[in-house]
Amino acid sequence: MDIGQLVDSLKVLLPGDHISIEVAKSDAVRDLLLSFDAEATDSWREHLTFDTSSHCTGKLVARGPDFDLYVMMFNPGTKSAVHGHQNSSIWKRVICGELVEKRFSTITDVEPISTTVHDVTTCKYLDGSIGLHQLCNQSNDIAVTLNLYVPRHLK
């Protein structure tokens, strides 16, 4: 499956406006994202945006009736600011490299309350309930994710 076929499948799975949270969080969405084999196709590479002045760059790949699909590239040895996902509903699928996620109780915490490594087998749902986190690419190579924002308008 190339990136275009993934988008076509997402449009079938998520056909309408105002997708419910139950559908957005469904195993069917996760399973579809996990079925995308980045090693079998280079179709996602054309969407990479190289910018060494930023920890992460993203490019909109497709906009469906009520979803946005981005390819996000994390530069080597960089980390995001500590942030949350209030008013967001996102699937994050690692397709290249690995990311370390650190979770925090407050924005001013120095030490994380948990640390998890996400690799190419990871497809994770994120929303405001996860609290605050930071994504780190601790390797010497890029890390790439597919970020599926669904629905665009939370109910």
Side-chain angles (χ1 to χ4, degrees):
M1 171 185 312
D2 67 19
I3 200 91
Q5 292 166 318
L6 174 63
V7 170
D8 290 344
S9 296
L10 285 168
K11 287 179 180 176
V12 170
L13 185 60
L14 305 167
D17 289 336
H18 305 290
I19 302 290
S20 71
I21 288 299
E22 291 75 26
V23 171
K25 293 171 67 171
S26 72
D27 289 347
V29 175
R30 183 200 65 226
D31 293 347
L32 179 57
L33 290 170
L34 282 170
S35 74
F36 179 75
D37 184 0
E39 290 185 14
T41 178
D42 284 340
S43 60
W44 56 273
R45 292 185 184 275
E46 68 189 63
H47 300 285
L48 294 181
T49 303
F50 291 90
D51 179 0
T52 57
S53 68
S54 176
H55 82 279
C56 177
T57 55
K59 183 175 180 185
L60 179 66
V61 173
R63 176 163 279 169
D66 207 16
F67 71 84
D68 291 329
L69 180 66
Y70 286 83
V71 170
M72 307 292 290
M73 187 188 83
F74 297 80
N75 285 314
T78 61
K79 60 186 175 184
S80 71
V82 175
H83 64 282
H85 290 279
Q86 292 72 15
N87 302 315
S88 298
S89 176
I90 305 160
W91 282 98
K92 183 178 291 291
R93 164 74 202 285
V94 178
I95 61 171
C96 177
E98 69 178 30
L99 292 170
V100 175
E101 178 186 29
K102 298 178 181 181
R103 291 206 178 169
F104 298 87
S105 295
T106 68
I107 198 85
T108 58
D109 283 352
V110 176
E111 292 297 320
I113 56 174
S114 68
T115 301
T116 307
V117 177
H118 301 290
D119 63 15
V120 295
T121 64
T122 304
C123 187
K124 183 171 180 146
Y125 179 79
L126 307 169
D127 62 15
S129 69
I130 70 158
L132 300 170
H133 75 152
Q134 178 182 57
L135 295 172
C136 310
N137 180 359
Q138 297 177 340
S139 78
N140 293 323
D141 296 313
I142 64 168
V144 180
T145 63
L146 292 177
N147 284 20
L148 177 66
Y149 292 79
V150 56
R152 276 198 232 123
H153 307 290
L154 296 177
K155 290 184 174 184

